[in-house]
Amino acid sequence: MSQFSWIDYPVSPELGAIAHGPLLLSDSNGYRVGLRYLIAYRKVMDMALTVSASGLKSAELASQFRAIQGPGGLASIAEPEAEFSAWVVSPDLNIYTERSSQNPHTEEGRYVREFSYVINGRPTGTSLEIEYRWPAIGLDRTRVVLEIPAARALDEAIVPI
């Protein structure tokens, strides 16, 4: 069994190293996309991206989701073809991401939605290239290169527990 419920890959007991974040990735058409954090573990990385909007765009962003009744109570989902998507494009990685959407809320007229990703693998170099888009709200495909510490430095910063 894994250390975290959102990681299917077995992870040794450890506190991950901060590889990057926080960072505003884009601010256009009324929408802001930010990297909340990128945490490195020995075999995987955990990444959280946040999308927010204010004013009329806030309502538009919130309308992308519909409430459903699940076993644990109310949840909200987006139609698969209409939702936010992000992926890793670094050529040295043969990995995939697993995504979950969480923490939707409105605060002071701003709607915020966070998306968590597990990246199964780690880059061998000091950069991680990601792309994201949300066509339903007019957020075009955007590519970002994140500069991260070298693998050795990350490994040294990981704390076993």
Side-chain angles (χ1 to χ4, degrees):
M1 184 167 173
S2 68
Q3 174 185 358
F4 306 104
S5 63
W6 40 262
I7 297 178
D8 291 333
Y9 199 92
V11 176
S12 60
E14 59 194 15
L15 301 174
I18 298 171
H20 206 297
L23 178 67
L24 181 63
L25 302 177
S26 63
D27 186 358
S28 65
N29 298 327
Y31 299 102
R32 299 181 91 182
V33 179
L35 172 73
R36 185 176 299 281
Y37 59 78
L38 178 64
I39 305 291
Y41 298 90
R42 297 216 185 272
K43 296 182 181 177
V44 299
M45 298 185 89
D46 175 21
M47 177 175 69
L49 299 177
T50 301
V51 181
S52 71
S54 60
L56 295 176
K57 295 291 186 174
S58 176
E60 185 179 331
L61 185 57
S63 74
Q64 296 300 307
F65 298 89
R66 59 185 171 85
I68 59 166
Q69 182 71 41
L74 279 178
S76 63
I77 62 168
E79 297 301 322
E81 67 277 358
E83 65 185 11
F84 180 78
S85 59
W87 56 96
V88 175
V89 294
S90 293
D92 62 326
L93 294 176
N94 182 18
I95 64 174
Y96 65 95
T97 59
E98 297 172 7
R99 181 189 68 84
S100 70
S101 172
Q102 58 188 1
N103 198 23
H105 65 279
T106 302
E107 184 176 304
E108 297 176 11
R110 179 172 290 280
Y111 184 83
V112 179
R113 190 85 183 203
E114 185 170 293
F115 299 90
S116 296
Y117 293 85
V118 175
I119 302 170
N120 289 312
R122 285 185 22 197
T124 55
T126 58
S127 65
L128 180 70
E129 237 179 306
I130 61 170
E131 283 187 2
Y132 59 86
R133 68 179 177 190
W134 199 337
I137 63 170
L139 188 60
D140 294 330
R141 175 180 261 174
T142 303
R143 182 176 284 201
V144 178
V145 178
L146 302 172
E147 293 302 320
I148 62 173
R152 184 176 182 174
L154 289 172
D155 287 342
E156 289 172 357
I158 293 171
V159 177
I161 55 172

